[in-house]
Amino acid sequence: IIRKDNQDYVYVVEDNKAILKKINLGLKSGPYYQVLDGLNENDKVVVLGKEKLFSGCKVKAEEMNNF
């Protein structure tokens, strides 16, 4: 989760590109967050390496099991 200008964002992978999407968060429990709005069920969210990304850059997605 990226916090910018009092808004929350995540990078998702679409067509092998990183896309910055605004999200609305709900409850937090430890390292887990409830996402109320902004993501679709099958969105692939970037969880590692997001510090090096910018919207539109090419990426290669890899599946993570039991994250």
Side-chain angles (χ1 to χ4, degrees), residues 13-18 56-61:
V13 178
E14 295 178 3
D15 299 322
N16 295 321
K17 293 182 182 177
C57 73
K58 291 185 178 184
V59 295
K60 179 183 175 189

Side-chain angles (χ1 to χ4, degrees), residues 12-49:
V12 296
V13 178
E14 295 178 3
D15 299 322
N16 295 321
K17 293 182 182 177
I19 305 296
L20 191 63
K21 289 183 88 172
K22 181 181 170 189
I23 58 171
N24 293 316
L25 296 176
L27 301 174
K28 179 183 182 222
S29 177
Y32 302 103
Y33 290 85
Q34 177 187 30
V35 178
L36 299 174
D37 190 38
L39 290 177
N40 296 314
E41 183 176 343
N42 294 318
D43 281 347
K44 294 180 180 180
V45 177
V46 175
V47 295
L48 297 173

